[in-house]
Amino acid sequence: MPAINGAPRFKGTLDVTAKGKVLPLRFHEIHGSTVIVVTWSKWGHGQSLAPPTGAVAYPTS
């Protein structure tokens, strides 16, 4: 991953499904002593999202 917005460049591994439509399952990154793992599951199931109370919209321009 390139350096973005002050975050350093790092290496990560993206695991994807082996059969059918290619979908991400896990992203594993290590930078020094920091380890971050992001996982995805339950593809095809809808989610209802709502902003938290008091949220302010991020400017788009």
Side-chain angles (χ1 to χ4, degrees):
M1 300 294 296
I4 300 173
N5 296 331
R9 181 174 185 258
F10 62 87
K11 291 184 178 184
T13 302
L14 178 63
D15 297 324
V16 298
T17 53
K19 294 181 181 180
K21 186 176 181 178
V22 176
L23 296 169
L25 296 175
R26 180 179 86 145
F27 183 70
H28 182 250
E29 62 185 80
I30 300 173
H31 183 77
S33 62
T34 303
V35 177
I36 298 174
V37 178
V38 178
T39 59
W40 295 270
S41 63
K42 298 184 181 180
W43 289 104
H45 296 267
Q47 294 292 321
S48 297
L49 301 176
T53 303
V56 177
Y58 186 78
T60 57
S61 58

